[in-house]
């Protein structure tokens, strides 16, 4: 008998977003798993929107790696940053650990360098906290 596939239980990582949301012109932020699940979101982002952002960002990150690998002729290409500019503002995404990314949505008048710098700080903070946390007992598989 096959047991249903279980998604690992993850700690809500919304706490890492608070300093970013205090920056001028930052509207929303999210921590997203590589498989398109939301691991933390800003308070004003509805669940439906957060889940949509997570799914699309996962696809976008995969497409970014693929197109970069094709241009570079290297299969082991890693993304450092993805930036989208629109009439509504900017979306920044950076890797935030193993199979995770941090995404931030900002208004058009944002200081891009300040946001990118603070995102790196929060990724470092997230990595330190996760690495120093005791392993979670996920129980035994059914």
């Amino acid at each position: 008998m096959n047991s249903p596939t279980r998604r690992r239980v993850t700690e809500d990582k919304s706490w890492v977003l608070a300093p970013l949301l205090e920056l001028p012109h930052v509207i929303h932020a999210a921590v997203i798993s590589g498989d398109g699940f939301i691991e933390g979101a800003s308070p004003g982002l509805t669940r439906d929107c957060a889940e949509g952002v997570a799914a699309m960002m996962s696809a976008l990150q995969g497409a970014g790696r693929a197109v970069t690998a094709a241009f570079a002729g290297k299969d082991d290409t890693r993304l450092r940053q993805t930036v989208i500019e629109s009439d509504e503002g900017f979306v920044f995404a950076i890797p935030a650990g193993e199979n995770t990314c941090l995404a931030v949505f900002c208004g058009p008048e944002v200081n891009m360098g300040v946001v990118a710098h603070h995102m790196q700080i929060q990724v470092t903070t997230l990595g330190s906290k996760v690495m120093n946390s005791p392993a979670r007992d996920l129980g035994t598989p059914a």
Side-chain angles (χ1 to χ4, degrees):
M1 177 164 80
N2 291 336
S3 61
T5 303
R6 291 190 200 184
R7 179 162 149 43
R8 63 184 165 78
V9 177
T10 59
E11 171 190 350
D12 182 10
K13 296 180 177 93
S14 298
W15 60 268
V16 79
L17 306 175
L20 297 169
L21 295 167
E22 294 174 1
L23 296 173
H25 311 293
V26 172
I27 301 166
H28 289 298
V31 180
I32 301 162
S33 71
D35 51 359
F37 290 98
I38 199 77
E39 294 187 352
S42 53
L45 194 61
T46 67
R47 181 178 177 96
D48 284 347
C49 288
E51 289 175 354
V53 165
M56 290 179 276
M57 187 54 67
S58 176
L60 182 61
Q61 294 287 293
R65 280 189 298 276
V67 74
T68 303
F71 270 131
K74 295 181 178 182
D75 290 335
D76 60 346
T77 301
R78 294 183 315 146
L79 293 182
R80 291 187 187 166
Q81 177 176 273
T82 303
V83 180
I84 302 167
E85 182 179 6
S86 73
D87 293 343
E88 302 301 319
F90 295 90
V91 176
F92 301 92
I94 62 171
E98 187 67 30
N99 201 30
T100 304
C101 85
L102 174 62
V104 176
F105 175 59
C106 310
E109 53 284 314
V110 72
N111 182 324
M112 295 170 68
V114 168
V115 171
H117 174 73
H118 282 276
M119 287 177 75
Q120 291 294 337
I121 290 170
Q122 290 311 107
V123 165
T124 301
T125 302
L126 178 62
S128 296
K129 178 159 174 49
V130 170
M131 294 304 287
N132 291 327
S133 297
R136 178 180 292 192
D137 180 11
L138 300 177
T140 57

